[in-house]
Amino acid sequence: MIQHDRLSQAYVFVGPRGSGPSALATWLAQRLFCTNLQDGQPCGECDECRRVLTGNHTDVLTISPEGTAIKADAVRGLKEEMSKSGMEGNRRVFIIEDADG
Ligand SMILES: [Zn+2]
């Protein structure tokens, strides 16, 4: 799917709280943004990869629950961000921790 560029513009990953972005989410985000792919794999060393890994990538948003559940405000903000990303045509990755509360 990735190689044929058919993934949608926004990706949402949900994972257990405290575990941080899952390995898959991190890998896929790096795969999307890496500027130095090695045989189709993210290099893990370029600025993009590093920013994904450290949680500082502007197009990779991680939402963590405040308290025991993600607040409605956070969900609203997420929806706004997702609609914006669609209009701008930029790929963005959203990682939601413990969305089930
Ligand atoms: Zn890279």
Side-chain angles (χ1 to χ4, degrees), residues 8-22:
S8 59
Q9 290 180 334
Y11 312 89
V12 179
F13 298 95
V14 179
R17 187 180 183 187
S19 65
S22 73

Side-chain angles (χ1 to χ4, degrees), residues 34-36 42-46 49:
C34 181
T35 57
N36 187 31
C43 69
E45 295 176 354
C46 69
C49 285

Side-chain angles (χ1 to χ4, degrees), residues 67-101:
T68 57
I70 295 173
K71 290 186 175 177
D73 283 353
V75 174
R76 267 195 294 275
L78 176 65
K79 287 179 177 173
E80 284 179 17
E81 287 295 325
M82 290 181 75
S83 63
K84 258 192 268 175
S85 69
M87 287 197 293
E88 291 169 5
N90 296 323
R91 285 177 166 166
R92 306 189 84 179
V93 176
F94 302 91
I95 298 167
I96 302 174
E97 295 185 348
D98 196 22
D100 289 332

Side-chain angles (χ1 to χ4, degrees), residues 20-78:
S22 73
L24 175 61
T26 300
W27 183 90
L28 186 49
Q30 288 182 328
R31 175 64 181 76
L32 286 169
F33 296 113
C34 181
T35 57
N36 187 31
L37 292 173
Q38 308 286 322
D39 293 329
Q41 303 289 321
C43 69
E45 295 176 354
C46 69
D47 284 349
E48 299 287 310
C49 285
R50 288 179 185 278
R51 282 157 64 198
V52 169
L53 201 60
T54 57
N56 292 320
H57 199 291
T58 53
D59 289 324
V60 180
L61 306 182
T62 300
I63 295 180
S64 300
E66 297 176 37
T68 57
I70 295 173
K71 290 186 175 177
D73 283 353
V75 174
R76 267 195 294 275
L78 176 65

